[in-house]
Amino acid sequence: MSDSSKVEEQELEKSLVEEADRIISKASEAESAVSLDEDNTTSAKEQDAGNEKEDVSGHQDTTSKKRKAEDEDEPREVHLAEGHGQTVAAHYNELQEVGLEKRSQSRIFFLRNFNNWMKSLLIGEFIEKVRRRKREITVLDLGCGKGGDLLKWKKGKISKLVCTDIAEVSMQQCQQRYADMKARCRANEYIFNAEFITADSSKELLSDSYSDTHMCFDICSCQFVYHYSFETYEQADMMLKNACGNLCPGGYFIGTTPNSFELVKRLEASETDSFGNDVYTVQFQKKGEYPLFGCKYNFNLEGVVDVPEFLVYFPLLIEMAKKYGMKLVYKKTFREFYEEKIKDEENKMLLKRMQALEPYPPNDNSKLVSDKSDDYEHAEKLIKDGKAKLPLGTLSKSEWEATSIYLVFAFEKQQ
Ligand SMILES: C[S@@+](CC[C@H](N)C(=O)[O-])C[C@H]1O[C@@H](n2cnc3c(N)ncnc32)[C@H](O)[C@@H]1O
């Protein structure tokens, strides 16, 4: 990048951060007017939730803030989704759970496994950080979906998990998955306790629904979710409050979300209001105007996601997170994160076990996921230049273009 365009980008970023500051302080003024009402609501809710209950671990809770006796594993529905939330919930509710055989035939089989590997490493890294100072780890999986990360939490030997999502059917499937996992455990095998909450985290305060309203999390994991909340400042702030408000000091808010710089860069390079390939498409409403909130686009990933999402302007998120005592640990593009993690042999082994890359050239009895010849040009080049041992692992160019939209992030709650 030339020096002048770097300066231009820095200036643009500065002016956007100033605008963000203005929005945040304006919103905080409005909020202080609302917070009195909120206090009233809270006390009414607390009065309602007066009775004590037993928590999932089977221990009798001693705090007076426990919810009424109700089955711990019963999903609690807090708020019916409205607006875009309803579209998102309906979409995810309708997504069918696909068996392993069908999944392995999918065009994006390796892409999904790759994303899963990235999540595994991010989650593993922060479990390890917490474990250095603490044995019992409590986690909030915000936007857990059908429970795709349950096994990661089990492997991380956490003690307690709160799963929450806006989509009720997904939550039921997540809960069933947990129950099956628990039933399969051998006698000496430990599995975390769990609770399940159906709620729109961009509109409802989750802590009202925890079995212990003072629950303190070591990690909040928000994988491929946070961008749904950037519809308005209030929604983005509420999701942040849910993610970070109940973190213990030193706790982490980690996640994956589309990289707004990458999205806008690709859009600006396109001749239309959309861009993509045979694996993914992103359709913006308008090119050239990128409001800080409500900058909507439709994302389609091979029938996996096709719902409105919103640009998350990261410098703004960093500013907003300060309100909850959060400091950015890092933000890395998927490429940066991958290049860092792949250096470790154990991570490489995991990548193989998870089938996160496609073997190239294919075995005699298998076929490449893409039949476009230029989708493997990069792999061909590596082979030609003698830079890779055969067979090598790769992603088709189309899949790589889809996954390299994302970034990973981690914030830490200040002591
Ligand atoms: C791409 S899926 C990711 C699911 C899971 N985190 C994973 O990585 O497998 C996005 C999830 O976010 C959930 N979601 C979207 N908006 C939400 C909101 N406002 N509150 C709670 N969950 C939401 C969706 O229902 C969906 O399950």
Side-chain angles (χ1 to χ4, degrees):
M1 190 188 292
S2 73
D3 281 353
S4 64
S5 61
K6 208 164 183 178
V7 170
E8 268 171 33
E9 193 176 289
Q10 279 166 352
E11 273 174 4
L12 174 69
E13 185 157 338
K14 195 168 153 245
S15 70
L16 284 169
V17 169
E18 277 166 10
E19 195 182 341
D21 273 347
R22 202 176 41 74
I23 293 179
I24 294 169
S25 52
K26 222 167 122 191
S28 316
E29 277 167 29
E31 236 177 29
S32 52
V34 173
S35 63
L36 288 176
D37 281 341
E38 267 181 4
D39 280 348
N40 289 342
T41 324
T42 310
S43 54
K45 278 183 184 150
E46 280 172 2
Q47 276 168 21
D48 211 31
N51 290 354
E52 296 209 338
K53 70 182 284 292
E54 214 178 54
D55 88 1
V56 261
S57 59
H59 298 305
Q60 193 68 31
D61 185 88
T62 49
T63 67
S64 58
K65 294 260 167 126
K66 281 271 173 180
R67 291 172 54 85
K68 278 182 186 159
E70 55 185 42
D71 190 353
E72 183 69 50
D73 282 352
E74 271 305 298
R76 292 187 283 272
E77 188 152 349
V78 176
H79 189 262
L80 284 176
E82 281 164 11
H84 282 306
Q86 207 159 40
T87 317
V88 172
H91 169 82
Y92 282 103
N93 276 334
E94 273 164 29
L95 273 186
Q96 298 297 318
E97 268 203 292
V98 181
L100 190 64
E101 200 189 324
K102 195 128 188 252
R103 226 173 25 234
S104 67
Q105 292 157 6
S106 156
R107 168 70 181 87
I108 56 165
F109 173 70
F110 296 104
L111 165 63
R112 292 179 67 173
N113 293 350
F114 181 80
N115 287 350
N116 223 354
W117 177 78
M118 298 285 274
K119 285 196 290 175
S120 291
L121 296 186
L122 180 67
I123 286 172
E125 178 181 333
F126 283 89
I127 287 184
E128 207 183 303
K129 271 191 206 292
V130 177
R131 174 80 15 89
R132 276 184 219 138
R133 56 181 156 82
K134 195 163 182 194
R135 220 169 57 85
E136 303 224 317
I137 300 179
T138 303
V139 174
L140 171 66
D141 192 341
L142 188 55
C144 60
K146 297 175 185 354
D149 293 338
L150 286 174
L151 203 57
K152 301 178 188 66
W153 303 124
K154 182 166 178 271
K155 286 198 173 136
K157 297 192 168 45
I158 67 162
S159 304
K160 166 103 193 188
L161 179 69
V162 175
C163 286
T164 179
D165 199 283
I166 193 173
E168 194 187 357
V169 176
S170 297
M171 283 309 299
Q172 285 162 2
Q173 288 170 350
C174 176
Q175 195 178 357
Q176 187 57 49
R177 235 171 166 169
Y178 169 73
D180 294 345
M181 206 181 249
K182 201 169 173 178
R184 277 197 308 269
C185 278
R186 289 182 298 270
N188 57 353
E189 207 179 354
Y190 178 77
I191 184 160
F192 53 84
N193 295 306
E195 54 188 82
F196 303 87
I197 302 165
T198 303
D200 182 342
S201 293
S202 70
K203 296 195 176 142
E204 290 292 313
L205 196 59
L206 292 175
S207 57
D208 289 341
S209 307
Y210 299 150
S211 56
D212 171 0
T213 52
H214 291 311
M215 188 113 62
C216 166
F217 298 104
D218 300 296
I219 297 174
C220 167
S221 169
C222 191
Q223 306 297 341
F224 302 106
V225 182
Y226 193 70
H227 43 288
Y228 292 108
S229 75
F230 251 66
E231 188 171 357
T232 62
Y233 168 79
E234 288 73 18
Q235 283 172 265
D237 180 58
M238 178 57 87
M239 202 172 258
L240 207 47
K241 191 173 189 174
N242 282 322
C244 309
N246 282 57
L247 281 178
C248 320
Y252 296 104
F253 169 39
I254 59 172
T256 39
T257 194
N259 180 355
S260 58
F261 282 118
E262 193 59 42
L263 290 174
V264 171
K265 194 173 90 188
R266 293 187 195 192
L267 177 65
E268 291 290 333
S270 151
E271 283 171 3
T272 65
D273 285 348
S274 68
F275 58 89
N277 56 36
D278 57 332
V279 161
Y280 84 105
T281 49
V282 175
Q283 168 85 51
F284 270 79
Q285 280 188 315
K286 202 166 179 197
K287 195 163 153 181
E289 272 177 35
Y290 309 107
L292 291 175
F293 297 97
C295 189
K296 194 168 99 172
Y297 59 88
N298 273 303
F299 188 89
N300 180 296
L301 181 66
E302 258 256 307
V304 180
V305 181
D306 194 1
V307 275
E309 299 185 4
F310 302 93
L311 270 192
V312 178
Y313 179 58
F314 214 84
L316 175 56
L317 176 58
I318 297 174
E319 286 304 305
M320 288 173 66
K322 287 179 185 162
K323 179 175 168 191
Y324 300 102
M326 304 302 295
K327 191 169 166 231
L328 185 70
V329 179
Y330 65 64
K331 173 197 83 147
K332 292 174 189 166
T333 63
F334 261 31
R335 176 186 284 279
E336 289 164 343
F337 191 72
Y338 167 75
E339 284 174 353
E340 178 194 311
K341 295 293 182 188
I342 199 64
K343 289 180 190 146
D344 183 300
E345 274 309 310
E346 245 181 68
N347 297 341
K348 215 183 257 179
M349 300 279 282
L350 182 67
L351 184 107
K352 268 196 188 154
R353 280 204 305 278
M354 290 176 80
Q355 298 185 62
L357 291 179
E358 182 172 24
Y360 186 90
N363 308 325
D364 289 345
N365 49 0
S366 66
K367 217 169 133 265
L368 291 168
V369 286
S370 169
D371 43 26
K372 267 176 35 197
S373 59
D374 64 345
D375 248 348
Y376 298 94
E377 265 173 0
H378 55 292
E380 276 298 333
K381 187 164 183 322
L382 280 178
I383 295 171
K384 221 170 114 203
D385 297 347
K387 287 192 180 151
K389 272 200 287 175
L390 292 183
L392 58 86
T394 190
L395 279 184
S396 65
K397 194 164 137 241
S398 313
E399 284 170 287
W400 176 253
E401 279 172 10
T403 193
S404 55
I405 277 179
Y406 292 93
L407 55 78
V408 296
F409 64 81
F411 288 87
E412 183 177 355
K413 183 110 170 181
Q414 298 307 284
Q415 307 280 344

